[in-house]
Amino acid sequence: MLEVLTNPNKFFETRKKGRENLKIPVFIVLISGIIGGISAFLSSSIMMEAMAKTLPPEAQGFMSFMPISTAIGAVIFSFIIWLIVAAVFFGISCIFKGEGNFKRTLEFVGYGYIPTIIGGLISLVLVYNFITTVQIPAITTTDPTKIKEVIAPLMKSPMMMLSSAVGMLFMLWSANIWVFGLKHARNLSTKNALITVAIPVAAYILYSVYRMLGW
C-alpha cells in the first residue's frame, strides 16, 4: 500500500492487471471522512457554545444535535465528493479519448485520498489546538452577516490559515497520485493525465485561497 505514495505509477500499473475492487478505496475515503467529521464536530461544538446565550431555550435543545449531524454530514459528503471528483476526471479524460470504465477510475481516485488522511490528522491537531487555546467571543446575534463578522478574524488566525495551507499541500500530493491513477485507469499519456487532474485541482486550490483570504 505504501507504494501508492512512493511510486504511484508502478502501483497502478500493477493494480490494473487485477479486477476492479472498491473495498480498499471505500475504507480509505471513510477514514478520510471520519477525520473530517471529527474536525467538523469540534468546530460546530465551539460555535454552538459561542451562541448558547443567544438562542432561545427551545432552539438550544434542537441545535445541540448540530455538531453530531455536522460530523455525520461530513462523512457522507466525503463519499459524494469522491464520486464527483471521479466523474469530473472521467469526463475530462473523455476529451483525450480515454478508455476504461468508470468503476476503475473511481477505484484509483479513491487510493489518491490517502494523503488527505495524513493532512486531515495534522489539520485536526491544529483545529483542536485552536479551539482549546483561543478565546472564542460570545455571539450575541443570529444575523448571518454579523456572525461572519465575528468569525472572520478567527478564520484568519495563523492556526486556521496553517490548517488550510496543510489541506492544500496534501491535496497536491493527492493530485500527483491521481495523475498516475488516471493514466492507467483511462489509458492516457502522462501529459494528458496531468491536464485532466490539473484543471479541477487548480480550480479547487484557487477557490480555497480565495475563501481563506476573503473571510
Side-chain angles (χ1 to χ4, degrees):
M1 183 64 69
L2 286 177
E3 191 174 40
V4 72
L5 299 176
T6 59
N7 192 350
N9 188 46
K10 183 179 179 182
F11 173 83
F12 289 119
E13 183 179 16
T14 302
R15 186 70 197 87
K16 184 180 177 181
K17 297 174 183 177
R19 295 183 61 183
E20 295 95 342
N21 190 332
L22 294 176
K23 291 181 180 179
I24 294 178
V26 165
F27 179 74
I28 293 170
V29 175
L30 176 62
I31 295 300
S32 177
I34 289 174
I35 293 171
I38 295 173
S39 291
F41 177 86
L42 292 174
S43 300
S44 295
S45 296
I46 200 67
M47 182 63 65
M48 290 308 305
E49 183 178 336
M51 295 182 66
K53 296 181 180 180
T54 303
L55 297 172
E58 58 273 15
Q60 291 183 19
F62 174 78
M63 295 298 287
S64 63
F65 293 99
M66 185 177 176
I68 296 177
S69 62
T70 301
I72 295 174
V75 176
I76 296 173
F77 191 62
S78 67
F79 283 98
I80 295 175
I81 290 297
W82 175 31
L83 289 169
I84 292 174
V85 169
V88 170
F89 287 159
F90 190 88
I92 296 176
S93 66
C94 288
I95 300 174
F96 302 108
K97 303 185 186 305
E99 301 174 351
N101 61 48
F102 179 71
K103 185 176 181 181
R104 178 66 86 185
T105 300
L106 187 64
E107 176 190 0
F108 284 8
V109 169
Y111 282 106
Y113 270 74
I114 294 178
T116 67
I117 294 177
I118 304 172
L121 288 172
I122 296 174
S123 293
L124 179 59
V125 171
L126 292 173
V127 170
Y128 179 78
N129 184 68
F130 173 78
I131 66 176
T132 54
T133 58
V134 175
Q135 182 66 39
I136 308 296
I139 298 176
T140 58
T141 178
T142 56
D143 184 341
T145 302
K146 293 185 177 180
I147 291 176
K148 185 176 180 179
E149 291 177 357
V150 175
I151 297 176
L154 300 177
M155 294 299 102
K156 288 186 177 182
S157 68
M159 197 71 67
M160 296 305 291
M161 296 281 276
L162 179 59
S163 177
S164 298
V166 166
M168 287 185 276
L169 180 63
F170 280 87
M171 171 60 72
L172 291 175
W173 190 359
S174 290
N176 177 66
I177 295 174
W178 287 333
V179 168
F180 295 103
L182 266 292
K183 173 183 177 180
H184 293 286
R186 297 286 284 154
N187 293 313
L188 301 172
S189 66
T190 303
K191 176 183 176 182
N192 289 343
L194 177 60
I195 295 173
T196 299
V197 173
I199 293 173
V201 169
Y204 169 80
I205 290 179
L206 287 174
Y207 175 72
S208 297
V209 171
Y210 172 77
R211 279 197 62 188
M212 183 170 64
L213 299 179
W215 267 98

